[in-house]
Amino acid sequence: ERPNFRSLKNSNEIAEILEEYSIKNKLNFCRFNPSDLEPNQLFNIFSEAHTVVSPHGGANYNMIFCFLLLQYF
């Protein structure tokens, strides 16, 4: 958790559920904070994403790199 930033109180629980689901369905799960990454890293992650789970916010502009996006939650 980062001070002075919006956060979900149950983000760790959500991440655990998504990780379990990913393992069960042989998917890759990636949890990250977009502000901690370089633009080329964001491009690489989002360009291969099939599903994005994210709270609302400006960091969602990175979805312009989603060529394969099938679902957004």
Side-chain angles (χ1 to χ4, degrees):
E1 300 292 324
R2 294 167 42 144
N4 302 320
F5 285 86
R6 290 179 288 179
S7 64
L8 297 175
K9 293 184 183 215
N10 63 342
S11 64
N12 289 330
E13 291 83 0
I14 293 170
E16 288 175 18
I17 291 168
L18 293 171
E19 188 167 17
E20 289 173 13
Y21 177 85
S22 297
I23 291 169
K24 180 179 175 183
N25 293 282
K26 298 179 180 167
L27 302 170
N28 293 322
F29 174 75
C30 180
R31 182 180 185 188
F32 62 93
N33 185 330
S35 64
D36 293 337
L37 300 176
E38 296 294 323
N40 64 320
Q41 294 172 303
L42 292 169
F43 174 82
N44 290 335
I45 291 170
F46 281 92
S47 67
E48 296 179 9
H50 290 270
T51 303
V52 174
V53 178
S54 173
H56 69 289
N60 288 330
Y61 77 90
N62 291 298
M63 287 193 315
I64 64 170
F65 302 131
C66 291
F67 301 118
L68 304 172
L69 184 65
L70 301 176
Q71 299 176 17
Y72 169 69
F73 300 96

